[in-house]
Amino acid sequence: KADAAAQQRPTGADAAAHAVRAAEREGLLLIPADRKDSTTGYKNVTHNVEQSGVRKYKLQMQKKGKRLSCGLFGTAEEAALAYARTPEGRADAERLRRPAPVPRTAAAIEAVQQAEREGLTLVLSANATGYKNVTVDQRKSKCQLQVRAAGRQQTIGLFDSPEEAALAYARTPQGRADAEQQQRRSAATSQPSSRPPSLPASLPAPAR
């Protein structure tokens, strides 16, 4: 019976699609990778270099200071689904589903408005700035945009606000591709995070 069940289990692209549909049915979000060097596109999911056969993706999680293996899977989507079902995965989903950060300065507001004028989507993240590939350079009190290109992490520039850095990323081919993925995830889960952030009433929008 076990052999028959194994034969009926979907594999390859069918298994990946099955995992995506299962996440949609369960109202789960497959968490995108937060590491810029990820080769699978999903958080905590890596290639299992020790096994190149059917189960070639590994789910690993950090617990009590240790990196624990949580299973091997045939596709990255199946491993991502397993993570999405954990308390940690659900917490990550909650952070990603939060509304976009509210711009705090006139320059930040202008960046959001400029993205709208250009038909661009600022790509969100669960990191401290709220935007993908955007970090805070504490030494220079600036927001730094870094992208991975040609196998290396490259700094694109320093900006006064996360929104300005996010706009610069949104203009890149990588940013446009990530925006499309974000919009598909948003449509699948009915989450509002891909909408432009609301502008605070306390700050007037700069004149155009």
Side-chain angles (χ1 to χ4, degrees), residues 8 11 46 48 58 72 79 89 91 112 131 139 155 161 164 187 189 204:
Q8 293 176 359
T11 59
T46 60
N48 182 26
K58 180 187 295 185
L72 299 175
V112 171
Y131 294 103
R139 295 172 301 173
T155 298
S161 69
E164 292 171 277
T189 60

Side-chain angles (χ1 to χ4, degrees), residues 80-180:
L81 175 60
Y83 178 64
R85 287 169 170 162
T86 67
E88 293 84 354
R90 293 177 186 273
D92 281 341
E94 277 300 310
R95 285 191 289 270
L96 286 173
R97 285 183 170 122
R98 289 173 187 165
V102 176
R104 300 296 181 185
T105 66
I109 291 173
E110 173 61 20
V112 171
Q113 293 178 334
Q114 184 62 34
E116 294 176 0
R117 288 194 289 268
E118 295 180 30
L120 299 174
T121 297
L122 303 185
V123 182
L124 305 182
S125 172
N127 65 21
T129 67
Y131 294 103
K132 184 170 182 179
N133 291 338
V134 179
T135 58
V136 177
D137 187 329
Q138 300 290 355
R139 295 172 301 173
K140 299 179 180 179
S141 299
K142 295 280 188 177
C143 290
Q144 181 174 252
L145 172 61
Q146 290 183 309
V147 299
R148 191 166 188 82
R152 294 183 177 182
Q153 196 69 13
Q154 298 182 2
T155 298
I156 303 302
L158 296 174
F159 303 83
D160 291 328
S161 69
E163 288 77 10
E164 292 171 277
L167 174 59
Y169 182 62
R171 287 168 169 161
T172 68
Q174 287 176 265
R176 293 177 187 273
D178 283 341
E180 291 179 3

Side-chain angles (χ1 to χ4, degrees), residues 180-192:
E180 291 179 3
Q181 291 181 354
Q182 176 175 287
Q183 289 167 339
R184 286 196 295 269
R185 289 197 303 267
S186 179
T189 60
S190 299
Q191 68 186 62

